[in-house]
Amino acid sequence: GENVEQHPSTLSVQEGDSAVIKCTYSDSASNYFPWYKQELGKRPQLIIDIRSNVGEKKDQRIAVTLNKTAKHFSLHITETQPEDSAVYFCAASEDSWGKLQFGAGTQVVVTP
Amino acid sequence: EPEVTQTPSHQVTQMGQEVILRCVPISNHLYFYWYRQILGQKVEFLVSFYNNEISEKSEIFDDQFSVERPDGSNFTLKIRSTKLEDSAMYFCASSFTGTGMNTEAFFGQGTRLTVV
């Protein structure tokens, strides 16, 4: 089955700096890669996703890149703000039933 | 904006008791899921449900667990004979199609299950 590795586990950045989180996956059949943001005690919320036929996608300060050959994908947050502080999870899906395999999460702390 | 709702938000139960966690998925969604998250750990897939039957389940989802869609709106997870290690946040999710067909999964706010 699919295995998703996520790094780093914690990331501290100064407000205004960029943050990058990296994930690798094992199953070349995976074709959908969402990123979820989870604030303490709350539900995971989708912030951006990318399909296997696209190499890069951007939404305002957030971008995701996908390298299918190397089987890794990354989340980039630019101009970080304190409200970006949360746990970020990458995930991969390989089948039509929608099972998401999550990475271990990255705790992002943005300090003013 | 439509959302997935779960009840209760917090459930405390004694070891060995049965619990039922309830979810109301988004109304036009066809695929339903349960995930769990042990405190401080990653979100883990339990089961997916489509067309009134389980489509896929993980090794975590053993005979202790069952799911049901008793009517047109509710989706439940039953845990029989709860164990201490069942303590976790349980998330329900739904999507219009399976995410392998490129559709976002929406998560509920979770039910925190504490087994004592």
Side-chain angles (χ1 to χ4, degrees), chain B residues 7-37:
Chain B
T7 54
S9 56
H10 191 189
Q11 173 92 44
V12 181
T13 189
Q14 290 215 322
M15 192 167 54
Q17 296 297 303
E18 174 182 288
V19 294
I20 297 176
L21 310 184
R22 303 181 190 278
C23 170
V24 179
I26 294 172
S27 62
N28 65 339
H29 284 185
L30 303 175
Y31 291 73
F32 315 114
Y33 316 90
W34 284 100
Y35 291 83
R36 80 171 185 190
Q37 185 178 32

Side-chain angles (χ1 to χ4, degrees), chain A residues 36 44 91-93 97-102, chain B residues 6 21 32-38 42-48 60 75 77 88-94 99 105-107 110-111:
Chain A
Y36 284 84
S93 180
W97 299 119
K99 177 181 73 177
L100 291 173
Q101 193 73 35
F102 283 84
Chain B
Q6 290 183 242
L21 310 184
F32 315 114
Y33 316 90
W34 284 100
Y35 291 83
R36 80 171 185 190
Q37 185 178 32
I38 295 170
K42 67 173 156 181
V43 178
E44 299 174 290
F45 170 78
L46 293 178
V47 65
S48 57
I60 302 169
F75 179 50
L77 174 68
M89 180 74 89
Y90 287 81
F91 290 104
C92 174
S94 70
T99 56
F106 290 81
F107 282 75
T111 292

Side-chain angles (χ1 to χ4, degrees), chain B residues 1 18 21 27 41 46 64 70 79 81 87 93 96 101:
Chain B
E1 184 177 326
E18 174 182 288
L21 310 184
S27 62
Q41 297 185 23
L46 293 178
Q64 180 194 9
I79 309 174
S81 189
S87 296
F96 182 65
M101 294 162 67

